[in-house]
PDB file of all heavy atoms in Angstrom:
ATOM      1  N   GLY A  11      -5.295  73.448  28.464  1.00  0.00           N
ATOM      2  CA  GLY A  11      -6.295  72.880  29.375  1.00  0.00           C
ATOM      3  C   GLY A  11      -7.582  73.732  29.371  1.00  0.00           C
ATOM      4  O   GLY A  11      -7.539  74.906  28.902  1.00  0.00           O
ATOM      5  N   TRP A  12      -8.603  73.118  29.793  1.00  0.00           N
ATOM      6  CA  TRP A  12      -9.891  73.809  30.096  1.00  0.00           C
ATOM      7  C   TRP A  12     -10.146  73.664  31.582  1.00  0.00           C
ATOM      8  O   TRP A  12     -10.084  72.593  32.112  1.00  0.00           O
ATOM      9  CB  TRP A  12     -11.053  73.188  29.303  1.00  0.00           C
ATOM     10  CG  TRP A  12     -11.024  73.572  27.830  1.00  0.00           C
ATOM     11  CD1 TRP A  12     -10.479  72.813  26.800  1.00  0.00           C
ATOM     12  CD2 TRP A  12     -11.579  74.718  27.249  1.00  0.00           C
ATOM     13  NE1 TRP A  12     -10.648  73.508  25.668  1.00  0.00           N
ATOM     14  CE2 TRP A  12     -11.337  74.660  25.859  1.00  0.00           C
ATOM     15  CE3 TRP A  12     -12.240  75.872  27.755  1.00  0.00           C
ATOM     16  CZ2 TRP A  12     -11.726  75.638  24.950  1.00  0.00           C
ATOM     17  CZ3 TRP A  12     -12.657  76.868  26.882  1.00  0.00           C
ATOM     18  CH2 TRP A  12     -12.409  76.709  25.510  1.00  0.00           C
ATOM     19  N   HIS A  13     -10.468  74.779  32.193  1.00  0.00           N
ATOM     20  CA  HIS A  13     -10.860  74.808  33.574  1.00  0.00           C
ATOM     21  C   HIS A  13     -12.253  75.416  33.667  1.00  0.00           C
ATOM     22  O   HIS A  13     -12.658  76.103  32.744  1.00  0.00           O
ATOM     23  CB  HIS A  13      -9.872  75.640  34.418  1.00  0.00           C
ATOM     24  CG  HIS A  13      -8.475  75.040  34.397  1.00  0.00           C
ATOM     25  ND1 HIS A  13      -7.844  74.670  35.606  1.00  0.00           N
ATOM     26  CD2 HIS A  13      -7.637  74.822  33.477  1.00  0.00           C
ATOM     27  CE1 HIS A  13      -6.624  74.189  35.259  1.00  0.00           C
ATOM     28  NE2 HIS A  13      -6.449  74.302  33.990  1.00  0.00           N
ATOM     29  N   ARG A  14     -12.907  75.269  34.834  1.00  0.00           N
ATOM     30  CA  ARG A  14     -14.199  75.900  34.943  1.00  0.00           C
ATOM     31  C   ARG A  14     -14.376  76.375  36.392  1.00  0.00           C
ATOM     32  O   ARG A  14     -13.739  75.846  37.291  1.00  0.00           O
ATOM     33  CB  ARG A  14     -15.321  74.900  34.585  1.00  0.00           C
ATOM     34  CG  ARG A  14     -15.508  73.732  35.520  1.00  0.00           C
ATOM     35  CD  ARG A  14     -16.572  72.807  34.980  1.00  0.00           C
ATOM     36  NE  ARG A  14     -16.749  71.633  35.829  1.00  0.00           N
ATOM     37  CZ  ARG A  14     -17.500  70.554  35.504  1.00  0.00           C
ATOM     38  NH1 ARG A  14     -18.106  70.539  34.336  1.00  0.00           N
ATOM     39  NH2 ARG A  14     -17.615  69.570  36.370  1.00  0.00           N
ATOM     40  N   GLN A  15     -15.185  77.373  36.520  1.00  0.00           N
ATOM     41  CA  GLN A  15     -15.491  77.925  37.867  1.00  0.00           C
ATOM     42  C   GLN A  15     -17.002  78.153  37.948  1.00  0.00           C
ATOM     43  O   GLN A  15     -17.576  79.002  37.209  1.00  0.00           O
ATOM     44  CB  GLN A  15     -14.745  79.192  38.115  1.00  0.00           C
ATOM     45  CG  GLN A  15     -14.904  79.692  39.546  1.00  0.00           C
ATOM     46  CD  GLN A  15     -13.895  80.754  39.862  1.00  0.00           C
ATOM     47  OE1 GLN A  15     -13.278  81.305  39.028  1.00  0.00           O
ATOM     48  NE2 GLN A  15     -13.703  80.965  41.196  1.00  0.00           N
ATOM     49  N   ALA A  16     -17.687  77.420  38.861  1.00  0.00           N
ATOM     50  CA  ALA A  16     -19.059  77.565  39.095  1.00  0.00           C
ATOM     51  C   ALA A  16     -19.267  78.621  40.172  1.00  0.00           C
ATOM     52  O   ALA A  16     -18.378  78.893  40.935  1.00  0.00           O
ATOM     53  CB  ALA A  16     -19.684  76.232  39.533  1.00  0.00           C
ATOM     54  N   PRO A  17     -20.434  79.261  40.247  1.00  0.00           N
ATOM     55  CA  PRO A  17     -20.658  80.269  41.287  1.00  0.00           C
ATOM     56  C   PRO A  17     -20.432  79.707  42.651  1.00  0.00           C
ATOM     57  O   PRO A  17     -20.898  78.677  43.030  1.00  0.00           O
ATOM     58  CB  PRO A  17     -22.171  80.586  40.997  1.00  0.00           C
ATOM     59  CG  PRO A  17     -22.435  80.304  39.580  1.00  0.00           C
ATOM     60  CD  PRO A  17     -21.601  79.087  39.292  1.00  0.00           C
ATOM     61  N   GLY A  18     -19.604  80.456  43.422  1.00  0.00           N
ATOM     62  CA  GLY A  18     -19.340  80.086  44.777  1.00  0.00           C
ATOM     63  C   GLY A  18     -18.329  78.959  44.951  1.00  0.00           C
ATOM     64  O   GLY A  18     -18.157  78.457  46.064  1.00  0.00           O
ATOM     65  N   LYS A  19     -17.752  78.502  43.838  1.00  0.00           N
ATOM     66  CA  LYS A  19     -16.783  77.408  43.944  1.00  0.00           C
ATOM     67  C   LYS A  19     -15.488  77.812  43.354  1.00  0.00           C
ATOM     68  O   LYS A  19     -15.291  78.788  42.665  1.00  0.00           O
ATOM     69  CB  LYS A  19     -17.315  76.196  43.145  1.00  0.00           C
ATOM     70  CG  LYS A  19     -18.609  75.593  43.748  1.00  0.00           C
ATOM     71  CD  LYS A  19     -18.955  74.276  43.063  1.00  0.00           C
ATOM     72  CE  LYS A  19     -20.153  73.670  43.679  1.00  0.00           C
ATOM     73  NZ  LYS A  19     -20.518  72.371  43.030  1.00  0.00           N
ATOM     74  N   GLN A  20     -14.431  77.036  43.686  1.00  0.00           N
ATOM     75  CA  GLN A  20     -13.071  77.267  43.172  1.00  0.00           C
ATOM     76  C   GLN A  20     -13.003  76.841  41.786  1.00  0.00           C
ATOM     77  O   GLN A  20     -13.711  75.888  41.348  1.00  0.00           O
ATOM     78  CB  GLN A  20     -12.081  76.573  44.065  1.00  0.00           C
ATOM     79  CG  GLN A  20     -11.883  77.142  45.460  1.00  0.00           C
ATOM     80  CD  GLN A  20     -10.728  76.562  46.207  1.00  0.00           C
ATOM     81  OE1 GLN A  20     -10.381  75.403  46.021  1.00  0.00           O
ATOM     82  NE2 GLN A  20     -10.077  77.359  46.990  1.00  0.00           N
ATOM     83  N   ARG A  21     -12.019  77.445  41.050  1.00  0.00           N
ATOM     84  CA  ARG A  21     -11.831  76.951  39.673  1.00  0.00           C
ATOM     85  C   ARG A  21     -11.191  75.579  39.698  1.00  0.00           C
ATOM     86  O   ARG A  21     -10.348  75.274  40.559  1.00  0.00           O
ATOM     87  CB  ARG A  21     -10.777  77.941  39.016  1.00  0.00           C
ATOM     88  CG  ARG A  21     -10.674  77.759  37.512  1.00  0.00           C
ATOM     89  CD  ARG A  21      -9.830  78.840  36.893  1.00  0.00           C
ATOM     90  NE  ARG A  21     -10.433  80.155  37.055  1.00  0.00           N
ATOM     91  CZ  ARG A  21      -9.953  81.246  36.374  1.00  0.00           C
ATOM     92  NH1 ARG A  21      -8.884  81.142  35.575  1.00  0.00           N
ATOM     93  NH2 ARG A  21     -10.556  82.415  36.574  1.00  0.00           N
ATOM     94  N   GLU A  22     -11.629  74.720  38.782  1.00  0.00           N
ATOM     95  CA  GLU A  22     -11.206  73.351  38.756  1.00  0.00           C
ATOM     96  C   GLU A  22     -10.768  72.983  37.357  1.00  0.00           C
ATOM     97  O   GLU A  22     -11.341  73.454  36.364  1.00  0.00           O
ATOM     98  CB  GLU A  22     -12.250  72.409  39.281  1.00  0.00           C
ATOM     99  CG  GLU A  22     -13.517  72.388  38.431  1.00  0.00           C
ATOM    100  CD  GLU A  22     -14.504  71.344  38.947  1.00  0.00           C
ATOM    101  OE1 GLU A  22     -14.193  70.596  39.848  1.00  0.00           O
ATOM    102  OE2 GLU A  22     -15.608  71.255  38.298  1.00  0.00           O
ATOM    103  N   LEU A  23      -9.813  72.032  37.266  1.00  0.00           N
ATOM    104  CA  LEU A  23      -9.405  71.467  35.999  1.00  0.00           C
ATOM    105  C   LEU A  23     -10.481  70.566  35.439  1.00  0.00           C
ATOM    106  O   LEU A  23     -11.038  69.740  36.129  1.00  0.00           O
ATOM    107  CB  LEU A  23      -8.128  70.690  36.120  1.00  0.00           C
ATOM    108  CG  LEU A  23      -7.677  69.962  34.873  1.00  0.00           C
ATOM    109  CD1 LEU A  23      -7.218  70.930  33.817  1.00  0.00           C
ATOM    110  CD2 LEU A  23      -6.528  69.019  35.212  1.00  0.00           C
ATOM    111  N   VAL A  24     -10.874  70.808  34.191  1.00  0.00           N
ATOM    112  CA  VAL A  24     -11.816  69.921  33.473  1.00  0.00           C
ATOM    113  C   VAL A  24     -11.065  68.896  32.627  1.00  0.00           C
ATOM    114  O   VAL A  24     -11.315  67.701  32.721  1.00  0.00           O
ATOM    115  CB  VAL A  24     -12.748  70.810  32.610  1.00  0.00           C
ATOM    116  CG1 VAL A  24     -13.687  69.842  31.801  1.00  0.00           C
ATOM    117  CG2 VAL A  24     -13.543  71.732  33.440  1.00  0.00           C
ATOM    118  N   ALA A  25     -10.145  69.387  31.827  1.00  0.00           N
ATOM    119  CA  ALA A  25      -9.410  68.510  30.922  1.00  0.00           C
ATOM    120  C   ALA A  25      -8.091  69.184  30.499  1.00  0.00           C
ATOM    121  O   ALA A  25      -8.112  70.440  30.428  1.00  0.00           O
ATOM    122  CB  ALA A  25     -10.221  68.124  29.703  1.00  0.00           C
ATOM    123  N   SER A  26      -7.064  68.414  30.189  1.00  0.00           N
ATOM    124  CA  SER A  26      -5.873  68.995  29.671  1.00  0.00           C
ATOM    125  C   SER A  26      -5.306  68.046  28.614  1.00  0.00           C
ATOM    126  O   SER A  26      -5.669  66.864  28.558  1.00  0.00           O
ATOM    127  CB  SER A  26      -4.830  69.184  30.765  1.00  0.00           C
ATOM    128  OG  SER A  26      -4.485  67.935  31.289  1.00  0.00           O
ATOM    129  N   ILE A  27      -4.486  68.639  27.757  1.00  0.00           N
ATOM    130  CA  ILE A  27      -3.880  67.850  26.699  1.00  0.00           C
ATOM    131  C   ILE A  27      -2.386  68.322  26.501  1.00  0.00           C
ATOM    132  O   ILE A  27      -2.118  69.496  26.410  1.00  0.00           O
ATOM    133  CB  ILE A  27      -4.642  67.990  25.369  1.00  0.00           C
ATOM    134  CG1 ILE A  27      -4.136  67.041  24.279  1.00  0.00           C
ATOM    135  CG2 ILE A  27      -4.830  69.450  24.893  1.00  0.00           C
ATOM    136  CD1 ILE A  27      -5.066  66.933  23.049  1.00  0.00           C
ATOM    137  N   SER A  28      -1.544  67.354  26.454  1.00  0.00           N
ATOM    138  CA  SER A  28      -0.068  67.669  26.408  1.00  0.00           C
ATOM    139  C   SER A  28       0.320  67.953  25.026  1.00  0.00           C
ATOM    140  O   SER A  28      -0.508  67.869  24.050  1.00  0.00           O
ATOM    141  CB  SER A  28       0.728  66.457  26.919  1.00  0.00           C
ATOM    142  OG  SER A  28       0.661  65.392  25.984  1.00  0.00           O
ATOM    143  N   GLN A  29       1.599  68.309  24.857  1.00  0.00           N
ATOM    144  CA  GLN A  29       2.150  68.612  23.556  1.00  0.00           C
ATOM    145  C   GLN A  29       2.019  67.444  22.614  1.00  0.00           C
ATOM    146  O   GLN A  29       1.835  67.592  21.383  1.00  0.00           O
ATOM    147  CB  GLN A  29       3.625  69.042  23.680  1.00  0.00           C
ATOM    148  CG  GLN A  29       3.927  70.226  24.560  1.00  0.00           C
ATOM    149  CD  GLN A  29       4.097  69.821  25.980  1.00  0.00           C
ATOM    150  OE1 GLN A  29       3.540  68.891  26.520  1.00  0.00           O
ATOM    151  NE2 GLN A  29       5.018  70.593  26.697  1.00  0.00           N
ATOM    152  N   SER A  30       2.099  66.247  23.105  1.00  0.00           N
ATOM    153  CA  SER A  30       2.051  65.075  22.328  1.00  0.00           C
ATOM    154  C   SER A  30       0.640  64.481  22.163  1.00  0.00           C
ATOM    155  O   SER A  30       0.463  63.480  21.450  1.00  0.00           O
ATOM    156  CB  SER A  30       2.887  63.917  22.946  1.00  0.00           C
ATOM    157  OG  SER A  30       2.401  63.567  24.229  1.00  0.00           O
ATOM    158  N   GLY A  31      -0.335  65.115  22.813  1.00  0.00           N
ATOM    159  CA  GLY A  31      -1.746  64.697  22.672  1.00  0.00           C
ATOM    160  C   GLY A  31      -2.246  63.828  23.788  1.00  0.00           C
ATOM    161  O   GLY A  31      -3.369  63.320  23.747  1.00  0.00           O
ATOM    162  N   ARG A  32      -1.486  63.638  24.854  1.00  0.00           N
ATOM    163  CA  ARG A  32      -1.941  62.862  25.994  1.00  0.00           C
ATOM    164  C   ARG A  32      -2.929  63.705  26.700  1.00  0.00           C
ATOM    165  O   ARG A  32      -2.743  64.844  27.016  1.00  0.00           O
ATOM    166  CB  ARG A  32      -0.776  62.501  26.931  1.00  0.00           C
ATOM    167  CG  ARG A  32      -1.241  61.731  28.185  1.00  0.00           C
ATOM    168  CD  ARG A  32      -0.049  61.376  29.049  1.00  0.00           C
ATOM    169  NE  ARG A  32       0.848  60.440  28.386  1.00  0.00           N
ATOM    170  CZ  ARG A  32       1.927  59.953  28.977  1.00  0.00           C
ATOM    171  NH1 ARG A  32       2.251  60.354  30.177  1.00  0.00           N
ATOM    172  NH2 ARG A  32       2.726  59.096  28.328  1.00  0.00           N
ATOM    173  N   THR A  33      -4.116  63.065  27.065  1.00  0.00           N
ATOM    174  CA  THR A  33      -5.197  63.777  27.656  1.00  0.00           C
ATOM    175  C   THR A  33      -5.426  63.331  29.125  1.00  0.00           C
ATOM    176  O   THR A  33      -5.067  62.272  29.529  1.00  0.00           O
ATOM    177  CB  THR A  33      -6.535  63.529  26.881  1.00  0.00           C
ATOM    178  OG1 THR A  33      -6.763  62.122  26.868  1.00  0.00           O
ATOM    179  CG2 THR A  33      -6.413  64.130  25.498  1.00  0.00           C
ATOM    180  N   ASN A  34      -6.009  64.263  29.871  1.00  0.00           N
ATOM    181  CA  ASN A  34      -6.339  64.030  31.254  1.00  0.00           C
ATOM    182  C   ASN A  34      -7.659  64.675  31.583  1.00  0.00           C
ATOM    183  O   ASN A  34      -7.944  65.837  31.107  1.00  0.00           O
ATOM    184  CB  ASN A  34      -5.248  64.661  32.193  1.00  0.00           C
ATOM    185  CG  ASN A  34      -5.565  64.481  33.640  1.00  0.00           C
ATOM    186  OD1 ASN A  34      -5.809  63.376  34.109  1.00  0.00           O
ATOM    187  ND2 ASN A  34      -5.564  65.585  34.361  1.00  0.00           N
ATOM    188  N   TYR A  35      -8.547  64.023  32.249  1.00  0.00           N
ATOM    189  CA  TYR A  35      -9.884  64.516  32.515  1.00  0.00           C
ATOM    190  C   TYR A  35     -10.250  64.406  34.026  1.00  0.00           C
ATOM    191  O   TYR A  35      -9.805  63.487  34.718  1.00  0.00           O
ATOM    192  CB  TYR A  35     -10.971  63.669  31.761  1.00  0.00           C
ATOM    193  CG  TYR A  35     -10.819  63.802  30.280  1.00  0.00           C
ATOM    194  CD1 TYR A  35     -10.055  62.831  29.556  1.00  0.00           C
ATOM    195  CD2 TYR A  35     -11.437  64.828  29.569  1.00  0.00           C
ATOM    196  CE1 TYR A  35      -9.978  62.878  28.182  1.00  0.00           C
ATOM    197  CE2 TYR A  35     -11.369  64.865  28.193  1.00  0.00           C
ATOM    198  CZ  TYR A  35     -10.610  63.913  27.496  1.00  0.00           C
ATOM    199  OH  TYR A  35     -10.525  64.008  26.148  1.00  0.00           O
ATOM    200  N   ALA A  36     -11.033  65.343  34.455  1.00  0.00           N
ATOM    201  CA  ALA A  36     -11.621  65.254  35.771  1.00  0.00           C
ATOM    202  C   ALA A  36     -12.574  64.112  35.766  1.00  0.00           C
ATOM    203  O   ALA A  36     -13.197  63.735  34.756  1.00  0.00           O
ATOM    204  CB  ALA A  36     -12.382  66.558  36.077  1.00  0.00           C
ATOM    205  N   ASP A  37     -12.668  63.417  36.903  1.00  0.00           N
ATOM    206  CA  ASP A  37     -13.561  62.241  37.007  1.00  0.00           C
ATOM    207  C   ASP A  37     -14.994  62.630  36.615  1.00  0.00           C
ATOM    208  O   ASP A  37     -15.709  61.792  36.108  1.00  0.00           O
ATOM    209  CB  ASP A  37     -13.485  61.686  38.406  1.00  0.00           C
ATOM    210  CG  ASP A  37     -12.188  60.951  38.753  1.00  0.00           C
ATOM    211  OD1 ASP A  37     -11.507  60.639  37.762  1.00  0.00           O
ATOM    212  OD2 ASP A  37     -11.956  60.771  39.900  1.00  0.00           O
ATOM    213  N   SER A  38     -15.421  63.775  36.961  1.00  0.00           N
ATOM    214  CA  SER A  38     -16.795  64.233  36.726  1.00  0.00           C
ATOM    215  C   SER A  38     -17.182  64.352  35.271  1.00  0.00           C
ATOM    216  O   SER A  38     -18.386  64.385  34.967  1.00  0.00           O
ATOM    217  CB  SER A  38     -17.067  65.545  37.469  1.00  0.00           C
ATOM    218  OG  SER A  38     -16.194  66.560  36.969  1.00  0.00           O
ATOM    219  N   VAL A  39     -16.168  64.419  34.409  1.00  0.00           N
ATOM    220  CA  VAL A  39     -16.458  64.589  33.012  1.00  0.00           C
ATOM    221  C   VAL A  39     -16.019  63.448  32.096  1.00  0.00           C
ATOM    222  O   VAL A  39     -16.235  63.477  30.908  1.00  0.00           O
ATOM    223  CB  VAL A  39     -15.898  65.917  32.465  1.00  0.00           C
ATOM    224  CG1 VAL A  39     -16.336  67.142  33.312  1.00  0.00           C
ATOM    225  CG2 VAL A  39     -14.390  65.875  32.368  1.00  0.00           C
ATOM    226  N   LYS A  40     -15.325  62.511  32.712  1.00  0.00           N
ATOM    227  CA  LYS A  40     -14.786  61.343  31.899  1.00  0.00           C
ATOM    228  C   LYS A  40     -15.952  60.669  31.147  1.00  0.00           C
ATOM    229  O   LYS A  40     -17.029  60.360  31.786  1.00  0.00           O
ATOM    230  CB  LYS A  40     -14.105  60.375  32.805  1.00  0.00           C
ATOM    231  CG  LYS A  40     -12.729  60.792  33.207  1.00  0.00           C
ATOM    232  CD  LYS A  40     -11.986  59.744  34.107  1.00  0.00           C
ATOM    233  CE  LYS A  40     -10.636  60.211  34.453  1.00  0.00           C
ATOM    234  NZ  LYS A  40      -9.949  59.295  35.398  1.00  0.00           N
ATOM    235  N   GLY A  41     -15.723  60.374  29.931  1.00  0.00           N
ATOM    236  CA  GLY A  41     -16.772  59.705  29.116  1.00  0.00           C
ATOM    237  C   GLY A  41     -17.718  60.626  28.481  1.00  0.00           C
ATOM    238  O   GLY A  41     -18.553  60.173  27.624  1.00  0.00           O
ATOM    239  N   ARG A  42     -17.766  61.874  28.896  1.00  0.00           N
ATOM    240  CA  ARG A  42     -18.750  62.858  28.381  1.00  0.00           C
ATOM    241  C   ARG A  42     -18.012  63.962  27.612  1.00  0.00           C
ATOM    242  O   ARG A  42     -18.607  64.500  26.626  1.00  0.00           O
ATOM    243  CB  ARG A  42     -19.521  63.479  29.501  1.00  0.00           C
ATOM    244  CG  ARG A  42     -20.329  62.475  30.250  1.00  0.00           C
ATOM    245  CD  ARG A  42     -21.292  63.168  31.266  1.00  0.00           C
ATOM    246  NE  ARG A  42     -20.639  63.943  32.264  1.00  0.00           N
ATOM    247  CZ  ARG A  42     -20.783  65.298  32.439  1.00  0.00           C
ATOM    248  NH1 ARG A  42     -21.678  65.976  31.675  1.00  0.00           N
ATOM    249  NH2 ARG A  42     -20.133  65.938  33.420  1.00  0.00           N
ATOM    250  N   PHE A  43     -16.801  64.375  28.027  1.00  0.00           N
ATOM    251  CA  PHE A  43     -16.097  65.510  27.416  1.00  0.00           C
ATOM    252  C   PHE A  43     -14.909  64.958  26.688  1.00  0.00           C
ATOM    253  O   PHE A  43     -14.260  63.971  27.095  1.00  0.00           O
ATOM    254  CB  PHE A  43     -15.654  66.496  28.467  1.00  0.00           C
ATOM    255  CG  PHE A  43     -16.716  67.301  29.125  1.00  0.00           C
ATOM    256  CD1 PHE A  43     -18.078  66.987  29.001  1.00  0.00           C
ATOM    257  CD2 PHE A  43     -16.379  68.352  29.959  1.00  0.00           C
ATOM    258  CE1 PHE A  43     -19.028  67.740  29.597  1.00  0.00           C
ATOM    259  CE2 PHE A  43     -17.358  69.118  30.542  1.00  0.00           C
ATOM    260  CZ  PHE A  43     -18.636  68.775  30.398  1.00  0.00           C
ATOM    261  N   THR A  44     -14.563  65.613  25.588  1.00  0.00           N
ATOM    262  CA  THR A  44     -13.371  65.260  24.824  1.00  0.00           C
ATOM    263  C   THR A  44     -12.588  66.489  24.506  1.00  0.00           C
ATOM    264  O   THR A  44     -13.101  67.472  23.936  1.00  0.00           O
ATOM    265  CB  THR A  44     -13.679  64.541  23.500  1.00  0.00           C
ATOM    266  OG1 THR A  44     -14.465  63.352  23.847  1.00  0.00           O
ATOM    267  CG2 THR A  44     -12.466  64.099  22.803  1.00  0.00           C
ATOM    268  N   ILE A  45     -11.264  66.540  24.838  1.00  0.00           N
ATOM    269  CA  ILE A  45     -10.399  67.649  24.529  1.00  0.00           C
ATOM    270  C   ILE A  45      -9.548  67.302  23.344  1.00  0.00           C
ATOM    271  O   ILE A  45      -9.109  66.124  23.183  1.00  0.00           O
ATOM    272  CB  ILE A  45      -9.532  68.071  25.775  1.00  0.00           C
ATOM    273  CG1 ILE A  45      -8.786  69.345  25.466  1.00  0.00           C
ATOM    274  CG2 ILE A  45      -8.581  66.960  26.159  1.00  0.00           C
ATOM    275  CD1 ILE A  45      -8.102  69.948  26.689  1.00  0.00           C
ATOM    276  N   SER A  46      -9.311  68.260  22.454  1.00  0.00           N
ATOM    277  CA  SER A  46      -8.477  68.011  21.308  1.00  0.00           C
ATOM    278  C   SER A  46      -7.716  69.277  20.995  1.00  0.00           C
ATOM    279  O   SER A  46      -8.108  70.396  21.378  1.00  0.00           O
ATOM    280  CB  SER A  46      -9.309  67.560  20.121  1.00  0.00           C
ATOM    281  OG  SER A  46     -10.253  68.539  19.754  1.00  0.00           O
ATOM    282  N   ARG A  47      -6.656  69.166  20.226  1.00  0.00           N
ATOM    283  CA  ARG A  47      -5.896  70.340  19.826  1.00  0.00           C
ATOM    284  C   ARG A  47      -5.449  70.182  18.376  1.00  0.00           C
ATOM    285  O   ARG A  47      -5.271  69.094  17.855  1.00  0.00           O
ATOM    286  CB  ARG A  47      -4.637  70.492  20.732  1.00  0.00           C
ATOM    287  CG  ARG A  47      -3.591  69.436  20.598  1.00  0.00           C
ATOM    288  CD  ARG A  47      -2.552  69.543  21.744  1.00  0.00           C
ATOM    289  NE  ARG A  47      -1.736  70.774  21.586  1.00  0.00           N
ATOM    290  CZ  ARG A  47      -0.961  71.325  22.529  1.00  0.00           C
ATOM    291  NH1 ARG A  47      -0.941  70.696  23.735  1.00  0.00           N
ATOM    292  NH2 ARG A  47      -0.232  72.407  22.338  1.00  0.00           N
ATOM    293  N   ASP A  48      -5.211  71.386  17.782  1.00  0.00           N
ATOM    294  CA  ASP A  48      -4.752  71.429  16.387  1.00  0.00           C
ATOM    295  C   ASP A  48      -3.592  72.444  16.505  1.00  0.00           C
ATOM    296  O   ASP A  48      -3.717  73.592  16.473  1.00  0.00           O
ATOM    297  CB  ASP A  48      -5.835  71.960  15.438  1.00  0.00           C
ATOM    298  CG  ASP A  48      -5.400  71.885  14.003  1.00  0.00           C
ATOM    299  OD1 ASP A  48      -4.219  71.999  13.728  1.00  0.00           O
ATOM    300  OD2 ASP A  48      -6.247  71.749  13.169  1.00  0.00           O
TER     301      ASP A  48
END
């Protein structure tokens, strides 16, 4: 997964990808960010 932490804010999940390639995105980045794995 990728998480992020902005100044003064808690760390939050941005996107994750399972062993099989299933992805999950935060609502704030859907349609803009893409996670992939090799």
Side-chain angles (χ1 to χ4, degrees):
W12 285 95
H13 297 242
R14 68 186 180 188
Q15 187 165 18
K19 295 188 177 181
Q20 289 189 329
R21 191 173 298 189
E22 62 175 358
L23 174 68
V24 176
S26 64
I27 184 166
S28 72
Q29 301 90 327
S30 63
R32 178 179 295 181
T33 58
N34 178 54
Y35 296 93
D37 287 343
S38 59
V39 307
K40 282 181 181 176
R42 300 189 297 121
F43 290 12
T44 303
I45 189 171
S46 61
R47 68 189 293 163
D48 186 332

